[in-house]
């Protein structure tokens, strides 16, 4: 997971690596500035609670509609996926499949339990995935380099 940005930068700066150091830094700075601006515009153009990438991921978990759900307590549900059983505790946000503990996004099993309770998903995502959080992330400016002579 941590090497993706390095690989992306290596790919797009391949030709720029031959430049003098100041020009290489300026090339990289403008590249990051462009990427940040694109992400900011995308976040501002999102009209959903979550950022568009995470909203799309939520839509991809529609298989949760096929699960059978039974409530054993107010916040504890058993979700049956074929022959497998998963325990979903909405109160503590712990799911036996381990998905939420890993990335703080509700798994398909949790979405099935939420649908069973007629409850919305907004309280079950990390705040880092919200549109507002993404906007704040990309509002940080990329500072200009001083004049080359300095």
């Amino acid at each position: 997971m941590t090497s993706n940005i390095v690989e992306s930068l290596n790919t797009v700066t391949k030709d720029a690596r031959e430049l003098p150091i100041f020009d290489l830094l300026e090339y990289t700075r403008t590249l990051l500035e462009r990427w940040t601006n694109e992400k900011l515009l995308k976040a501002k153009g999102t009209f959903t609670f979550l950022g568009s990438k995470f909203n799309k991921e939520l839509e991809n978990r529609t298989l949760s509609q096929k699960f059978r759900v039974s409530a054993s307590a107010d916040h504890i549900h058993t979700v049956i996926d074929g022959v497998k059983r998963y325990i979903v505790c909405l109160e503590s946000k712990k799911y036996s499949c381990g998905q939420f503990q890993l990335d703080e996004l509700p798994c398909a099993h949790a979405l099935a339990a939420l649908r069973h309770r007629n409850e919305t998903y907004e309280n079950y995502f990390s705040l880092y995935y919200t549109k507002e959080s993404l906007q704040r992330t990309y509002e940080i400016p990329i500072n200009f380099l001083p004049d080359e002579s300095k």
Side-chain angles (χ1 to χ4, degrees), residues 57-110:
E57 187 160 331
L58 176 70
E59 291 170 4
N60 288 339
R61 295 180 183 191
T62 55
L63 65 110
S64 67
Q65 295 173 0
K66 299 176 184 173
F67 299 154
R68 289 185 327 191
V69 180
S70 62
S72 56
D74 191 31
H75 289 285
I76 299 175
H77 295 75
T78 301
V79 179
I80 300 169
D81 174 11
V83 295
K84 295 182 181 179
R85 295 177 187 269
Y86 299 93
I87 306 301
V88 174
C89 180
L90 294 173
E91 187 174 50
S92 64
K93 298 179 184 172
K94 295 208 185 230
Y95 317 137
S96 62
C97 69
Q99 182 71 40
F100 183 82
Q101 296 88 310
L102 181 65
D103 59 11
E104 296 188 44
L105 291 168
C107 61
H109 313 108

Side-chain angles (χ1 to χ4, degrees), residues 98-126:
Q99 182 71 40
F100 183 82
Q101 296 88 310
L102 181 65
D103 59 11
E104 296 188 44
L105 291 168
C107 61
H109 313 108
L111 292 173
L114 289 168
R115 191 173 294 108
H116 184 261
R117 289 176 48 99
N118 288 326
E119 194 172 333
T120 61
Y121 62 84
E122 283 88 354
N123 295 326
Y124 296 92
F125 280 86
S126 169

Side-chain angles (χ1 to χ4, degrees), residues 2 11-12 19 47 52 70 78 84 86-87 92 98 117 119-120 130 141-142 144 149:
T2 58
T11 301
V12 297
L19 295 171
F47 298 104
S52 61
S70 62
T78 301
K84 295 182 181 179
Y86 299 93
I87 306 301
S92 64
R117 289 176 48 99
E119 194 172 333
T120 61
T130 63
I142 305 293
F144 291 97
S149 64

Side-chain angles (χ1 to χ4, degrees), residues 20-58:
I21 188 69
F22 185 85
D23 296 333
L24 173 63
L25 290 173
E26 180 61 17
Y27 178 88
T28 306
R29 186 198 66 76
T30 57
L31 177 67
L32 293 174
E33 183 178 63
R34 189 180 79 233
W35 284 354
T36 300
N37 190 48
E38 288 170 2
K39 299 268 188 197
L40 178 60
L41 291 174
K42 188 172 185 177
K44 286 183 176 181
T46 300
F47 298 104
T48 56
F49 173 74
L50 299 173
S52 61
K53 174 182 177 181
F54 307 109
N55 201 57
K56 194 173 290 185
E57 187 160 331
L58 176 70

